[in-house]
């Protein structure tokens, strides 16, 4: 059933080994064997983000994520951006149908006590965006901006709340995709052929993608639409993942 603003109760999450698990989708938000490292390996290295930033000059580099969840991917990307000399401005555009409650988001800070993740102002900003969405589902965009410690460019987060079918059409042209919508077996809606077609429409020559999944139907759908698809060794105990780019 597509999400509506009110159906994101805390009870739909349980914790296993300190990692949030969705009872609705019976899947983990990130790996038990080092979520931070997995995010870096799969999405940043899989997309070659740093070398793409070096080539993009001063124009805004747009990352599109399917599944905001706990925000882990944005924090990993933000940290790399802050440690990059003279990076481009980045717009990180994501979507989320079942936003986690702030209590659950705050557990990410406990998992990574040395990182500056969900600080108070950010949590309040998220919370008030959810309240606005709950009152009026057409007001579903949350934005927040970070500054770089030693250059003028901003890092802007934009999260659309709602079902992927309503949110993905609002995305602009994307330079790198993070495909992170739970396993395709457990959540086929995030990997439907309509979704893949829209990814293609919102991509330009050279747009890259990366995902922890290596499902055969996904590889075929991406290849049919003109993406070069490469199988790689997955993170930790995972045998395979895929990444690639639009020809
Ligand atoms: C694996 S989690 C994302 C993990 C996340 N990137 C992180 O860093 O924590 C997948 C996310 O997709 C969201 N999702 C699942 N089905 C959806 C749908 N049909 N529309 C929008 N979001 C959906 C889930 O609520 C969940 O937050």
């Amino acid at each position: 059933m597509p999400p509506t603003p009110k159906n994101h109760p805390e009870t739909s999450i349980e914790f296993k080994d300190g990692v949030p698990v969705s009872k609705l989708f019976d899947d983990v938000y990130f790996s038990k064997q080092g979520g931070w490292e997995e995010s870096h390996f799969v999405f940043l290295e899989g997309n070659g983000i740093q070398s793409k930033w070096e080539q993009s000059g001063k124009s805004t580099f747009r990352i599109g994520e399917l599944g905001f969840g706990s925000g882990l991917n944005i924090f990993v990307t933000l940290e790399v951006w802050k440690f990059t000399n003279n990076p481009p401005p980045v717009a990180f555009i994501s979507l989320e149908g079942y936003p986690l409650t702030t209590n659950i988001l705050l557990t990410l800070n406990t998992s990574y006590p040395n990182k500056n993740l969900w600080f108070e102002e950010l949590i309040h900003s998220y919370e008030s965006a959810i309240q606005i969405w709950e009152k009026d589902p057409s007001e579903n965009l949350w934005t927040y901006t970070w500054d770089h410690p030693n250059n003028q460019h901003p890092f802007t987060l934009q999260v659309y709340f709602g079902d992927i079918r309503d949110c993905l059409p609002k995305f602009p042209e994307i330079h790198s995709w993070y495909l992170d919508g739970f396993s395709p077996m457990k959540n086929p809606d995030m990997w439907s052929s309509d979704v893949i077609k829209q990814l293609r429409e919102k991509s330009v020559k050279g747009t890259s993608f990366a995902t922890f999944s290596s499902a055969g139907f996904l590889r075929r759908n991406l290849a049919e639409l003109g993406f070069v698809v490469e199988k790689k060794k997955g993170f930790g105990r995972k045998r395979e993942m895929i990444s690639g780019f639009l020809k």
Side-chain angles (χ1 to χ4, degrees), residues 3 25 28-30 65-74 95-98 162-164 180-182 187 189-190:
F25 296 101
V28 288
Y29 278 76
F30 45 83
E65 179 189 51
L66 305 190
F68 178 74
S70 68
L72 182 63
N73 287 338
I74 188 222
L95 57 85
E96 180 52 60
Y98 308 86
D163 190 75
I164 187 162
D180 197 14
F182 290 133
N187 191 17
D189 286 359
M190 290 289 265

Side-chain angles (χ1 to χ4, degrees), residues 207-219:
T207 289
S208 61
F209 72 87
T211 176
F212 56 85
S213 172
S214 62
F217 83 90
L218 180 62
R219 284 187 272 128

Side-chain angles (χ1 to χ4, degrees), residues 170-220:
K170 296 182 176 158
F171 277 36
E173 215 167 72
I174 294 294
H175 302 113
S176 286
W177 291 103
Y178 293 7
L179 309 182
D180 197 14
F182 290 133
S183 123
M185 293 270 285
K186 294 182 169 173
N187 191 17
D189 286 359
M190 290 289 265
W191 309 88
S192 68
S193 47
D194 269 5
V195 165
I196 308 301
K197 269 188 213 138
Q198 284 191 52
L199 295 187
R200 166 66 187 84
E201 279 161 23
K202 302 212 173 267
S203 299
V204 288
K205 194 170 183 285
T207 289
S208 61
F209 72 87
T211 176
F212 56 85
S213 172
S214 62
F217 83 90
L218 180 62
R219 284 187 272 128
R220 284 189 295 279

Side-chain angles (χ1 to χ4, degrees), residues 11-73:
T11 49
S12 63
I13 300 294
E14 61 186 341
F15 282 85
K16 284 191 186 152
D17 302 327
V19 170
V21 180
S22 164
K23 290 194 205 165
L24 195 58
F25 296 101
D26 182 29
D27 206 354
V28 288
Y29 278 76
F30 45 83
S31 169
K32 285 174 200 157
Q33 308 165 271
W36 191 277
E37 291 75 17
E38 180 186 38
S39 167
H40 194 279
F41 180 88
V42 174
F43 298 110
L44 281 95
E45 291 173 41
N47 275 296
I49 288 288
Q50 271 182 297
S51 63
K52 294 190 109 198
W53 284 348
E54 278 157 24
Q55 291 153 23
S56 77
K58 289 196 178 96
S59 54
T60 299
F61 188 89
R62 287 186 295 276
I63 296 172
E65 179 189 51
L66 305 190
F68 178 74
S70 68
L72 182 63
N73 287 338

Side-chain angles (χ1 to χ4, degrees), residues 106-178:
L106 286 169
T107 64
L108 199 67
N109 294 358
T110 319
S111 302
Y112 299 101
N114 301 326
K115 314 272 187 194
N116 183 22
L117 309 182
W118 285 102
F119 51 90
E120 214 174 316
E121 187 190 306
L122 186 64
I123 278 283
H124 285 152
S125 170
Y126 173 91
E127 210 165 21
S128 66
I130 303 268
Q131 281 164 8
I132 292 169
W133 178 52
E134 284 175 349
K135 278 200 201 112
D136 177 358
S138 69
E139 294 284 326
N140 68 336
L141 177 61
W142 172 45
T143 63
Y144 194 88
T145 300
W146 286 260
D147 294 323
H148 193 274
N150 49 30
N151 84 16
Q152 301 298 309
H153 300 317
F155 184 113
T156 307
L157 171 66
Q158 302 179 352
V159 183
Y160 289 95
F161 295 119
D163 190 75
I164 187 162
R165 283 165 287 190
D166 302 320
C167 299
L168 190 53
K170 296 182 176 158
F171 277 36
E173 215 167 72
I174 294 294
H175 302 113
S176 286
W177 291 103
Y178 293 7

